[in-house]
Amino acid sequence: MKKFSIVIAGGGSTYTPGIVMMMMDNLHRFPIRSLKLYDNDGERQETLAKAIGIVMKEIAPEVDFSYTTDPKEAFTDVDFCMAHIRVGKYAMRELDEKIPMKYHVVGQETCGPGGIAYGMRSIGGMMELIDFMEKYSPDCWMLNYSNPASIVAEACRVLKPHSKVLNICDMPVGTKRRMGYIAGRDPKDMDVKYFGLNHFGWWTSVKDKDGTDLMPQLLDYVSKNGYLTEKAVETQHMDESWQQTHKKAADLLKLSPDFLPNTYLKYYLYPDYVVEHTDPCHTRANEVMEGREKEVFSAARAIIEAGTAKGSAFSIDNHASFIVDLACAIGFNTREQMLCIVENKGAISNFDPTAMVEVPCLVGNEGPEPLCQGNIPTFEKGMMEEQLAVERLVVEAWIEGSYLKLWQALTLSKTVPSASVAKQILDDLMEANKEYWPELK
Ligand code: NAD
Ligand code: G6P
Ligand code: MN
């Protein structure tokens, strides 16, 4: 069996230890000869990397492990780059969330003005990573889950149309697992149909391998409980604020009663509710800094201090095993069916063929092949067209340095009530992002 060489870009991410542990747990199906971490914040990365180095010696000494801030070292001789960078880190996420809230507008990591601001930061960082990858390992594939994935995907389509970058999100994976708990099925044994943009879509069919339709049971359950289920044993999305999000799916279903919604639609369909239920002084970024970030970095320090991972190991992020599924699909041409963010090309028949959409794909050694989902109804199509225009305007604003296009993007977002509120938020975001955005004229 072929052995792969991997670089994780965003080595200092809170997800890195869990993903490394998951990959070590999956070596039997996805063999790795070399694993490198790369980050542009050497100090942040080093804390995790030193601890991971200790763990790797104990559980997988045969895998060559290293970490670096040097792009050449990181990207030379690699088969896959797994990218999860956060340009501006949590300090900027906090501002993305808090600035719109000053104007009683949704403050969220990837949706509305916060997502737009994050997109304007991510595009440059992502284009840089792709350049490094293509310079030092031209055959390498990038599996990207850096956010905001739909804006990043659109930027890749426009600026890097021939690059081997596959954008993917874990939300459909996580929600499908919840559906599995609800329907008493292994998610691997469920076939789905789905259409949408990233963080903006609907399941139109969920079936058992033998063809049994699970939709009636799921729709009935979700109409009462959303995706909340006592049976869920998850490694993420368990904080109280996430539980509220899973529950809110019941209200999303009311607008599209025949489809199962992506939970992120709550920011577009019930923005007033979201604002009312958000503390403007303590947002999700604060929860993550006080929770996941603290836990992961404390665990790393404990391992470094003890010189061993025995007694204080990182936990395996099983939820992230879809990343290995994806790498296997490309590396071994498994043609597994997975939801990916790809150019539409007719998969959603009555939607812009050049839009970057999220649909089921067959993934093989040439990448993802979208599967036809047919026509979609007017309501969902209208919402998607509006949101697609927002995402396109952000990418155009970044490329052209256009203040007007970014103002149009904010104004068009369903989360923002008017052009004047959009302008006030934009001016604040622009000031906060001086270091990260291109200059806008
Ligand atoms: P984090 O801040 O802990 O980690 C991000 C790391 O990226 C930091 O160490 C930072 O220094 C590094 N970084 C920033 N800019 C960089 C650049 N230009 N080059 C190299 N490294 C850079 O963030 P996190 O919460 O662990 O999340 C990481 C990313 O994964 C985010 O983009 C997040 O939105 C994304 N994410 C996506 C999904 C999905 O479904 N697509 C799921 C979870 C997380
Ligand atoms: C889901 C989404 C990701 C997003 C994450 C935020 O997994 O698919 O795109 O980054 O949630 O989770 P957090 O715990 O950081 O709020
Ligand atoms: Mn996502």
Side-chain angles (χ1 to χ4, degrees):
M1 222 180 189
K2 185 175 178 199
K3 287 192 172 190
F4 297 95
S5 169
I6 312 289
V7 59
I8 297 184
S13 157
T14 54
Y15 292 102
T16 300
I19 289 177
V20 170
M21 295 298 284
M22 180 277 298
M23 288 199 288
M24 294 307 113
D25 203 42
N26 281 272
L27 284 174
H28 56 282
R29 64 183 183 116
F30 186 65
I32 297 175
R33 63 182 162 87
S34 158
L35 176 66
K36 294 186 260 190
L37 304 185
Y38 166 75
D39 203 290
N40 65 359
D41 179 342
E43 212 180 301
R44 182 180 176 89
Q45 170 168 263
E46 186 162 56
T47 307
L48 299 184
K50 278 188 169 160
I52 291 170
I54 293 169
V55 176
M56 294 283 291
K57 268 208 185 102
E58 290 174 359
I59 62 170
E62 72 281 12
V63 179
D64 186 25
F65 173 75
S66 62
Y67 60 99
T68 180
T69 55
D70 174 25
K72 184 175 181 196
E73 200 181 319
F75 286 89
T76 299
D77 182 33
V78 285
D79 302 305
F80 287 101
C81 169
M82 312 207 166
H84 53 209
I85 62 168
R86 184 186 289 286
V87 179
K89 294 176 272 193
Y90 291 126
M92 291 310 297
R93 176 175 179 176
E94 184 177 4
L95 293 176
D96 290 345
E97 293 170 352
K98 289 185 177 171
I99 289 171
M101 281 296 292
K102 266 174 52 187
Y103 302 94
H104 311 288
V105 167
V106 169
Q108 215 277 328
E109 180 196 23
T110 63
C111 303
I116 292 172
Y118 187 13
M120 288 291 285
R121 292 197 302 277
S122 287
I123 296 172
M126 286 303 303
M127 294 307 119
E128 186 184 72
L129 289 186
I130 297 168
D131 286 340
F132 292 150
M133 171 177 98
E134 296 190 330
K135 181 166 178 196
Y136 298 115
S137 285
D139 294 329
C140 181
W141 270 94
M142 181 177 289
L143 311 183
N144 178 56
Y145 26 100
S146 312
N147 270 316
S150 45
I151 292 173
V152 169
E154 170 65 4
C156 290
R157 184 189 71 88
V158 176
L159 296 169
K160 305 277 178 198
H162 306 296
S163 297
K164 291 161 85 171
V165 181
L166 207 169
N167 295 290
I168 192 158
C169 170
D170 67 357
M171 201 65 226
V173 179
T175 302
K176 188 182 176 195
R177 200 174 40 236
R178 285 179 173 267
M179 291 176 193
Y181 291 126
I182 295 165
R185 299 293 198 287
D186 182 337
K188 289 262 176 202
D189 295 333
M190 291 155 63
D191 285 330
V192 305
K193 290 189 177 160
Y194 183 98
F195 71 85
L197 310 172
N198 177 235
H199 289 185
F200 203 101
W202 295 264
W203 282 266
T204 57
S205 164
V206 182
K207 286 186 175 170
D208 215 336
K209 280 286 176 211
D210 66 13
T212 307
D213 187 2
L214 302 174
M215 280 301 264
Q217 180 190 353
L218 289 168
L219 289 169
D220 179 58
Y221 185 94
V222 176
S223 72
K224 295 173 188 139
N225 314 289
Y227 296 111
L228 259 194
T229 154
E230 307 257 295
K231 292 180 208 145
V233 190
E234 307 278 294
T235 44
Q236 68 156 191
H237 298 160
M238 293 303 278
D239 289 348
E240 180 50 32
S241 54
W242 267 108
Q243 303 293 3
Q244 291 305 323
T245 294
H246 299 313
K247 196 167 155 201
K248 192 68 183 167
D251 291 333
L252 303 177
L253 192 64
K254 290 177 187 157
L255 273 300
S256 304
D258 298 331
F259 302 154
L260 289 162
N262 188 303
T263 55
Y264 275 93
L265 289 164
K266 84 167 185 181
Y267 299 106
Y268 303 95
L269 292 172
Y270 297 102
D272 48 352
Y273 161 91
V274 170
V275 171
E276 257 167 57
H277 290 81
T278 305
D279 176 351
C281 304
H282 194 267
T283 58
R284 179 68 190 153
N286 300 108
E287 289 179 16
V288 174
M289 286 186 273
E290 291 155 16
R292 184 171 71 237
E293 188 184 39
K294 223 184 204 158
E295 284 157 24
V296 169
F297 280 82
S298 309
R301 284 189 202 97
I303 291 170
I304 296 167
E305 213 162 279
T308 169
K310 289 184 185 98
S312 157
F314 291 129
S315 43
I316 300 176
D317 190 352
N318 277 319
H319 114 275
S321 56
F322 73 94
I323 295 164
V324 165
D325 296 339
L326 188 62
C328 283
I330 293 173
F332 300 123
N333 197 28
T334 64
R335 298 183 64 75
E336 183 171 351
Q337 197 170 315
M338 305 180 82
L339 262 63
C340 303
I341 305 161
V342 290
E343 194 169 340
N344 184 24
K345 293 183 182 159
I348 303 171
S349 317
N350 55 346
F351 200 65
D352 187 334
T354 64
M356 293 304 282
V357 296
E358 196 167 62
V359 287
C361 297
L362 291 182
V363 187
N365 58 357
E366 289 181 350
E369 242 176 75
L371 294 171
C372 185
Q373 304 300 302
N375 284 334
I376 60 172
T378 307
F379 175 68
E380 293 77 7
K381 181 168 173 270
M383 282 184 71
M384 280 168 62
E385 273 160 357
E386 181 183 59
Q387 178 61 18
L388 175 67
V390 172
E391 291 161 5
R392 290 212 153 139
L393 284 164
V394 174
V395 173
E396 288 172 19
W398 188 89
I399 294 170
E400 297 164 25
S402 166
Y403 179 94
L404 176 62
K405 287 199 168 168
L406 204 59
W407 184 21
Q408 289 175 338
L410 279 152
T411 303
L412 204 53
S413 173
K414 208 169 162 50
T415 58
V416 178
S418 78
S420 54
V421 173
K423 192 165 194 313
Q424 292 176 64
I425 297 175
L426 172 55
D427 289 340
D428 281 13
L429 286 173
M430 204 161 74
E431 178 63 25
N433 281 280
K434 269 196 294 220
E435 251 186 80
Y436 299 99
W437 289 5
E439 197 191 337
L440 300 183
K441 289 202 184 98

